[in-house]
Amino acid sequence: MQKWAIAATWPFGRRAVEVGSRLLDEERNGIDVVEQAIRAVELDPTVDSVGVGGIPNYEGEVELDAALMRGKDLAIGAVAGVKSFPNPISIARLVLEKTPHHLMVGDGAERYADAHGLKRDSLLTSSSLEKWKKRRQRQVQITDERWGTGHDTVGVVVLDKAGGITAGTSTSGLALKLPGRVGDSPLPGSGLYADDTAGAAVATGCGELIMRGCLSYAIVELMRSGATPQQACADALGRLVARLEKEIPVRNAHQDMTKMAVLAMDRDGNIGAAANHADFDFAYCLAEDREVRLERAKMIGV
Ligand code: GLY
């Protein structure tokens, strides 16, 4: 039997894994699988940190970031600050496959999506609007520790039947972020990295911290040097936490603005995950038994 494997961040990643595992079984390539898996989460209005229903920025507009990376040739397609498109991951795919560029932002990315026939739609739901209004009524300020609450990224890593490794991410970023703020998710090396010769990793949590450690690249390079995905996740995140903890309370984190989590897969489809907090769950499915499972990541340093 040819191997395949898929894993995705958070319990809402279960939907991504269900969709992706069916496509992997049909021998679809990693780019198709990751795009379709992430689209399923982007279109679910109950997920309040991704796509439709994502929590708006400080001014009440939903701004989305997404990226895809193909491990065969290290090609990347990423978009940031995209409004009014429910599936930014599909714009990221256009960037990867149809442009000579890797990262497009805002209006330019939106006009490119228009030109390729992607449909605009409202991203606000009554629930996300209510949450936004309540925060504004409480007059949560940028300096308030409650400010960044809610920033869970869907990150997906895949080994396809042909041995291809692919990673993808999608998020509305920090709730109440300043307009124009971009997190780690569309940044190659920070929010995601994929290389067929080593493996793939994705990150979720506070983008401002994740990008300081280029966490996904660090994990893939540790796997290249022989670490298992579990060792690589714990080691890369542990090093960043050790480096930052004198200045920022990142060990055993309790605030969303200090939480980070990572998920990785090696070229054989083995999976690892780690977090600097106690509540990071991920979903996965392997060709061996086709069961979609949820697992809690190990918290580092305990
Ligand atoms: N990790 C998602 C973000 O910070 O935007």
Side-chain angles (χ1 to χ4, degrees), residues 54 196 236:
D196 280 8

Side-chain angles (χ1 to χ4, degrees), residues 3-7 24 157-160 265 269-271 285-287:
K3 266 190 173 180
W4 55 256
I6 178 167
L24 283 163
V157 287
V158 157
L159 167 71
D160 65 28
M265 182 179 287
N270 299 306
I271 295 164
C285 184
L286 308 174

Side-chain angles (χ1 to χ4, degrees), residues 65 151 153 171-174 181-185 203-208 210:
D65 303 335
H151 51 49
T153 303
T171 185
S172 52
L174 281 179
R181 176 266 188 193
V182 175
D184 60 300
S185 303
T204 173
C206 178
E208 281 72 6
I210 292 164

